[in-house]
Amino acid sequence: MAREFDRKIVLEDGSVYLGYGFGDSCDRVCEIVFNTSMVGYQEIVSDPSYTYQMVVMTYPIIGNYGIADDDFECKTPTIGGLIVRSYNDFPSNFRYTKTLSEILVENHIPAISGIDTRKLTRSIRDLGSRKVLITDIDTPAEDALKMLSATEIPHDAVSKVSCKKRWYSRTSNPKYNIVAVDCGIKLNIIRSLNARGCNVTVVPWNTTAAEIESFRPDGVFLSNGPGDPEDVTPVIELIRKIRGKYPICGICLGHQMISLAYGAKTYKLKFGHRGGNHPVKNLKTGKIEITSQNHSYAVDASSVEGTGLEITHINLLDNTVEGVECAQDRIFSVQYHPESAPGPQDSAYLFDKFISAVKEAKDSAKKN
C-alpha cells in the first residue's frame, strides 16, 4: 500500500509541493536554495554556511551511504532543512554509524522527500531564492502564507555558528602558528592547515586585533560562513587593522569580507552558487579549476578597481569574481572552497600558496 503524503513545503508565491517527512517534524521558515553536488550530503548538512537555508539536493538519491563519524564539517549542524527527491533510510556503507534521518532528528532539522526536485530547482533558478515553509500537510494554505509573511530571515547567522571561545587544533612537529577567525569554519579547512604543519588557534568572529596580535601568529585565516558579508562588520574592521602585518587568506565569506575591507562592494546573487562543478579560471596561470562552491553573495567586479586588490580568478559560468589578491599586503582570497570534501581537489594548491606566504614572512622577520 502506497504511503500517503504527510508533509509539504510552501513558497512565498503560494506554490506547494507535497512529500514525505523525515528528520525532525517541526515547522520552519528558511531561504530556499539548491545544491548540484552528486555526493557529500553529510558535508552539506554539516556546513555552517547553510544556516537559515533549506537546501534542495538536485541529485535524486540521498541517504544511501549514511553518516560517518569522521566526515562532519562542524560539531553541531545548523542547516535549516533538506529537500530531496528520494530518501534512502537503509545505508550500504561499512563506515556508516547513523542514518541521515537520525542525525537530522538529533539536531532538530526538518526534511522532506518525494518532491519533484527538477521542477523546484527550475523555479529557484528562474525566480530566485526566496522564503520557504516546511510544515504538516494539514496546515491551511492561508496560515502557511501568513507564517511566511511574518517570518524574517535573521541576520545573526555568523554570531550563531561561530565558536564562543577559542580552541586549538595542533599537529605533530608544527612549523607555523595560524589564527583562524571562525565565522562558520568548516573542519576540513583546519585539517588542511594541520596537514601542512600548522598549529591552528580558532577564535570567535568578534575577536579583536589586539587579541590576535597577542597570539603572535605567523598567519591569519578568515573562514567561510553564512549570511550577508556586510552584516559582519567586526571582522571587516579587524581586516583593516591587521592587513599588511601578517599573511592573510580568506575563503568564501572571508573573501567577501576582505573585499569589503579594501573598499570593494558585494551584492546578492539571484540564486547563488552551490555545488561541486563550477569552472573557475585562474587569470594568472590560465588554468581552469573545477571547484566546490556555496555562497549567495558575490564581489562586484566593477568596484574592485582602485582598492589595491587585483582580481585573480573568475567564474566561467557567469564571470563573477572568484578571487582577489593584494601582493603588497600578502593577502589573497577565493570565493570557492579549496578544502572541499569529498571534492573536487583542483584548488588544494591555494593552501600551499598561503603556507609559502607564511614561510616567506617568517624568514623575512628572522633576517630583520
Side-chain angles (χ1 to χ4, degrees):
M1 184 175 177
R3 178 185 171 190
E4 293 186 359
F5 293 132
D6 56 6
R7 298 281 279 170
K8 66 182 176 181
I9 58 171
V10 183
L11 278 71
E12 286 182 278
D13 61 5
S15 55
V16 177
Y17 296 77
L18 308 183
Y20 311 103
F22 67 102
D24 197 88
S25 59
C26 66
D27 289 0
R28 182 166 295 162
V29 175
C30 296
E31 177 188 23
I32 192 168
V33 299
F34 66 85
N35 187 296
T36 58
S37 298
M38 296 180 68
V39 292
Y41 58 76
Q42 178 175 347
E43 289 83 352
I44 291 166
V45 164
S46 59
D47 183 348
S49 295
Y50 285 115
T51 302
Y52 301 137
Q53 292 180 332
M54 198 169 298
V55 181
V56 181
M57 298 297 298
T58 62
Y59 189 75
I61 303 174
I62 301 298
N64 52 309
Y65 53 84
I67 297 293
D69 291 341
D70 296 333
D71 294 346
F72 284 100
E73 289 290 357
C74 72
K75 296 174 183 177
T76 304
T78 56
I79 188 173
L82 195 64
I83 300 169
V84 306
R85 174 60 184 167
S86 177
Y87 172 62
N88 185 324
D89 202 40
F90 302 96
S92 178
N93 175 12
F94 74 98
R95 295 179 66 237
Y96 104 92
T97 56
K98 294 181 180 179
T99 68
L100 173 58
S101 187
E102 287 169 345
I103 287 295
L104 297 179
V105 169
E106 287 177 13
N107 292 281
H108 308 294
I109 299 166
I112 189 169
S113 68
I115 300 293
D116 185 345
T117 51
R118 294 175 299 177
K119 178 181 178 182
L120 182 55
T121 299
R122 284 196 298 268
S123 170
I124 300 169
R125 184 194 63 193
D126 295 342
L127 302 177
S129 300
R130 51 209 190 276
K131 286 188 287 186
V132 62
L133 165 69
I134 184 169
T135 186
D136 188 82
I137 197 165
D138 295 327
T139 301
E142 184 178 349
D143 291 352
L145 291 173
K146 283 182 180 178
M147 199 180 305
L148 282 163
S149 178
T151 305
E152 292 297 326
I153 306 299
H155 287 261
D156 64 345
V158 167
S159 64
K160 178 179 178 179
V161 299
S162 177
C163 60
K164 302 304 181 271
K165 60 182 180 179
R166 69 176 180 267
W167 60 280
Y168 304 94
S169 181
R170 298 184 175 94
T171 188
S172 57
N173 302 314
K175 299 176 182 177
Y176 310 109
N177 293 306
I178 304 299
V179 168
V181 180
D182 179 10
C183 296
I185 196 166
K186 294 173 66 177
L187 293 178
N188 207 47
I189 291 175
I190 300 170
R191 297 184 194 113
S192 298
L193 292 170
N194 287 156
R196 289 165 173 81
C198 299
N199 279 344
V200 181
T201 301
V202 184
V203 299
W205 70 291
N206 55 356
T207 300
T208 66
E211 288 176 284
I212 287 180
E213 289 169 6
S214 71
F215 299 130
R216 300 173 64 86
D218 298 315
V220 176
F221 202 96
L222 304 170
S223 84
N224 62 292
D228 185 342
E230 292 186 7
D231 291 337
V232 201
T233 51
V235 183
I236 296 170
E237 288 302 318
L238 169 68
I239 297 165
R240 289 176 178 147
K241 291 178 179 177
I242 66 172
R243 63 186 181 188
K245 295 182 179 181
Y246 314 100
I248 299 175
C249 177
I251 285 178
C252 201
L253 181 65
H255 159 77
Q256 297 160 8
M257 294 185 299
I258 285 173
S259 300
L260 288 169
Y262 274 79
K265 298 184 182 303
T266 57
Y267 64 97
K268 188 167 186 180
L269 296 165
K270 185 176 181 180
F271 49 80
H273 296 162
R274 294 174 184 85
N277 47 12
H278 287 254
V280 167
K281 183 174 183 178
N282 184 325
L283 298 178
K284 296 202 166 192
T285 65
K287 290 184 177 179
I288 311 300
E289 304 166 29
I290 302 303
T291 68
S292 176
Q293 308 217 0
N294 175 17
H295 58 103
S296 294
Y297 292 80
V299 174
D300 182 352
S302 65
S303 71
V304 174
E305 187 176 353
T307 63
L309 294 174
E310 171 191 5
I311 297 175
T312 57
H313 298 72
I314 60 167
N315 189 308
L316 294 182
L317 298 179
D318 58 8
N319 290 318
T320 51
V321 176
E322 291 283 354
V324 295
E325 180 177 27
C326 178
Q328 179 180 344
D329 289 344
R330 290 195 178 103
I331 188 168
F332 75 95
S333 62
V334 290
Q335 181 65 78
Y336 50 97
H337 286 263
E339 88 295 340
S340 56
Q345 305 299 325
D346 300 27
S347 307
Y349 73 90
L350 290 162
F351 285 103
D352 299 325
K353 177 179 178 177
F354 177 53
I355 298 304
S356 294
V358 168
K359 181 180 184 301
E360 181 182 321
K362 191 171 185 177
D363 292 346
S364 177
K366 286 180 180 177
K367 291 178 182 178
N368 297 330

